[in-house]
Amino acid sequence: MTGHRHSPGSRPIDAIGRGRSRRHDAGRISVFVAAAMPAMMIFLGLMWDASGYLRALHRVDNIAAEAARAAGQAINVPQAIGDGVVVVDQAAAQEAVAAYTADAGVTGEVYVDEDTQREVFVVITAEWEPAVLGMFGFGPRVVSGEATAYLIEQ
């Protein structure tokens, strides 16, 4: 019988030729893992906050678009019926945006084109609080979104 002969109680020789057992490394952490883990945790935290910031930007853009649609539906009804000219009622548009933004928990401003009164521009602002960076003194940031709605006739 050919092969490796071991006497009882002796340890097998590893591939390099040293007589080390695997139990010697059991439960120890490598220097690389110990050095890399804090960097990985910081990286994950930054990615978490970056994705949260992008979600906040997406949210205010969506709210701005919906608020602009609501403002665009606030037309001057007496003028539309009497003259047949459809234009935005600025006071009603401001009320529509104020109601929509109050429900969404953000602030907003509406601007109606004074020349044509057929274009509504809405700017929404909200506050975003970083989750991980907040632990290191980075406070809330203001995010803003904007949208424009145009009146069309069919």
Side-chain angles (χ1 to χ4, degrees):
M1 182 162 136
T2 61
H4 299 296
R5 294 185 186 162
H6 301 289
S7 61
S10 70
R11 293 184 292 187
I13 298 175
D14 64 7
I16 298 175
R18 286 175 280 190
R20 254 181 13 154
S21 71
R22 294 193 186 268
R23 288 182 287 153
H24 181 69
D25 289 335
R28 295 187 187 231
I29 186 167
S30 73
V31 174
F32 172 75
V33 173
M37 191 55 67
M40 291 301 294
M41 295 304 286
I42 290 170
F43 179 75
L44 288 174
L46 290 174
M47 291 302 101
W48 182 270
D49 279 347
S51 65
Y53 182 73
L54 290 174
R55 281 191 309 270
L57 286 174
H58 185 71
R59 178 177 179 260
V60 293
D61 279 341
N62 284 342
I63 292 171
E66 292 299 323
R69 286 184 192 107
Q73 292 176 358
I75 63 170
N76 186 333
V77 176
Q79 186 174 357
I81 292 173
D83 300 342
V85 178
V86 179
V87 294
V88 174
D89 181 356
Q90 186 160 357
Q94 288 175 342
E95 288 176 17
V97 169
Y100 194 87
T101 57
D103 287 343
V106 296
T107 58
E109 298 176 24
V110 60
Y111 305 96
V112 177
D113 184 342
E114 293 182 13
D115 294 334
T116 64
Q117 294 183 342
R118 298 177 58 81
E119 185 175 323
V120 179
F121 182 70
V122 176
V123 178
I124 301 294
T125 56
E127 193 172 89
W128 169 74
E129 181 78 36
V132 177
L133 291 175
M135 292 184 240
F136 299 103
F138 292 92
R141 302 282 185 244
V142 174
V143 293
S144 62
E146 54 190 48
T148 304
Y150 303 94
L151 295 181
I152 58 172
E153 292 183 36
Q154 292 185 359

